[in-house]
Amino acid sequence: MLLSLGMILIGFILLTYGADLLVKGAGRLALLVGISPLVVGLTVVAFGTSAPEAAVSLKSALIGKVGITVGNVVGSNIFNTFVVLGVASLIAPLVVHAQVIRKEVPLLVGASFLLLVLSLDGVISRWDGVLLFVLIVAYTWWSIHSSRRESSDVSDEYGQRFGEEHDHSIPDEVPGLKQTGPKAVFVNLFLLCIGVGMLIFGSNVLVNGAVAIAELFGVSDLIIGLTIVSIGTSLPELATSIMAGIRGERDIAVGNAVGSSLFNILAVLGLSGLASPSGVPVASSTLHVDLPVMIFSALACLPVFLTSHKISRGEGVAFVLYYCIYIAYLILDAAASPHLFLFIRLVLYIVVPLTVIFAAYLLIKGIRQHRRGEYTLKR
């Protein structure tokens, strides 16, 4: 028991630091070859913080522990929306100004529905994996193309966070990182390789520890993937968004969570479908419960982002409570609790109606604000 928990802890540490080195190395290399800080923020950083999910899911797919593969991605996306955005908004309300971010939320909703459709036959096949991976390549190209038309204030925000002359995240004592030329390229390539190595080794240790815990407690790989593994592999997203919220970098905090969720669906599951010889099976419980919850977590952003363009502290509290309700359901279901049916009825008859009423209120409020703005412009 202690050995397995120790393996999980070591795996989390290796994944976190490996992802950090990957982000710094890849981000600096991108800047050295002339890619804009905005694109680095939307792609390299968002994808880099999802590197732990990719490493763990690919490892799980290769060894046949597909429950962890799917559970890790679905659980991480639910965690990204409800906890990462919720906790970050508690620090400071997240005002979303970037046009590209407002486009990414509908894309995330579309990708979530696409995953549900592809899973209806009970498996994410290799052809499904090809489709998902092609879409992430197209999304990356679109992000780079659309960044050229992004507003100057958003570009400045990303430039201050990832730009060369303002990059305070890179320690001065690390030689070569704040320089240009062949030396900087070599140092950052070295960091990139070390980061990838830590991700590979960390994923091996974490998956082995998680499988041992699942066997010890007699729970499925899926439950372990939806809870312990998904939370642990989402810690980089949580740390990045919290720090961005503290620094007032609003678009980075939101873009990191949304971009990482897109990467999880399109790239991580796409590569996992390609890597698994017979595809990635999707459990019935995932199809009927976890995937709908993931879609709901994406849909919950729409009335917030498309109307008030911000996540207030109150909405952040609601997001965190949604995640607590979801985890409570997983625990009651795994324990075969006699109170599970009562819990489901409370959610269906109290939480769901309140959510619909609140979403309708936000939409009506947003429409009225929009009409007032048009009336003011006409006058």
Side-chain angles (χ1 to χ4, degrees), residues 303-375:
V304 176
F305 288 5
L306 298 180
T307 55
S308 60
H309 305 307
K310 71 177 181 179
I311 306 177
S312 66
R313 286 190 172 93
E315 291 159 352
V317 170
F319 276 12
V320 175
L321 287 177
Y322 284 139
Y323 187 76
C324 292
I325 292 171
Y326 173 65
I327 291 297
Y329 166 81
L330 290 180
I331 294 174
L332 291 173
D333 184 53
S337 172
H339 304 295
L340 178 62
F341 182 69
L342 175 61
F343 179 82
I344 294 175
R345 293 188 67 179
L346 288 173
V347 171
L348 290 177
Y349 295 129
I350 297 178
V351 177
V352 173
L354 288 175
T355 300
V356 172
I357 292 172
F358 183 62
Y361 164 75
L362 288 178
L363 288 173
I364 293 172
K365 180 181 177 182
I367 292 172
R368 287 179 175 176
Q369 289 175 347
H370 180 68
R371 287 179 177 175
R372 287 196 197 105
E374 287 183 344
Y375 177 74

Side-chain angles (χ1 to χ4, degrees), residues 107-354:
L107 282 176
L108 176 59
V109 173
S112 300
F113 274 107
L114 175 62
L115 179 59
L116 178 63
V117 171
L118 295 179
S119 303
L120 290 176
D121 60 354
V123 64
I124 300 173
S125 65
R126 282 190 165 175
W127 283 113
D128 295 337
V130 170
L131 173 62
L132 293 173
F133 191 74
V134 168
L135 288 176
I136 193 60
V137 173
Y139 163 74
T140 304
W141 175 88
W142 174 82
S143 294
I144 295 174
H145 180 73
S146 63
S147 69
R148 299 171 184 172
R149 302 188 302 269
E150 191 54 75
S151 59
S152 59
D153 59 334
V154 176
S155 297
D156 290 342
E157 181 179 315
Y158 277 87
Q160 290 175 2
R161 179 66 177 91
F162 304 109
E164 182 176 345
E165 59 182 300
H166 298 285
D167 194 354
H168 301 294
S169 65
I170 299 176
D172 291 327
E173 62 270 16
V174 180
L177 285 185
K178 291 189 175 182
Q179 302 176 12
T180 58
K183 183 178 180 180
V185 173
F186 174 78
V187 171
N188 286 289
L189 277 174
F190 177 74
L191 282 182
L192 183 63
C193 293
I194 293 296
V196 171
M198 293 177 70
L199 286 172
I200 294 174
F201 184 70
S203 66
N204 286 330
V205 175
L206 175 60
V207 170
N208 290 336
V211 171
I213 290 290
E215 293 175 349
L216 183 64
F217 286 97
V219 298
S220 66
D221 295 337
L222 176 63
I223 296 297
I224 293 296
L226 288 168
T227 53
I228 297 176
V229 176
S230 67
I231 292 173
T233 54
S234 293
L235 291 179
E237 286 95 330
L238 181 61
T240 299
S241 290
I242 287 177
M243 290 306 299
I246 292 174
R247 293 168 179 166
E249 296 158 345
R250 305 172 302 270
D251 294 296
I252 293 172
V254 179
N256 171 60
V258 175
S260 295
S261 295
L262 268 173
F263 183 86
N264 287 342
I265 295 175
L266 300 179
V268 176
L269 280 182
L271 289 173
S272 299
L274 289 171
S276 181
S278 56
V280 179
V282 180
S284 176
S285 60
T286 300
L287 189 61
H288 294 98
V289 177
D290 304 308
L291 279 175
V293 172
M294 186 188 75
I295 291 173
F296 168 73
S297 70
L299 286 171
C301 294
L302 281 176
V304 176
F305 288 5
L306 298 180
T307 55
S308 60
H309 305 307
K310 71 177 181 179
I311 306 177
S312 66
R313 286 190 172 93
E315 291 159 352
V317 170
F319 276 12
V320 175
L321 287 177
Y322 284 139
Y323 187 76
C324 292
I325 292 171
Y326 173 65
I327 291 297
Y329 166 81
L330 290 180
I331 294 174
L332 291 173
D333 184 53
S337 172
H339 304 295
L340 178 62
F341 182 69
L342 175 61
F343 179 82
I344 294 175
R345 293 188 67 179
L346 288 173
V347 171
L348 290 177
Y349 295 129
I350 297 178
V351 177
V352 173
L354 288 175

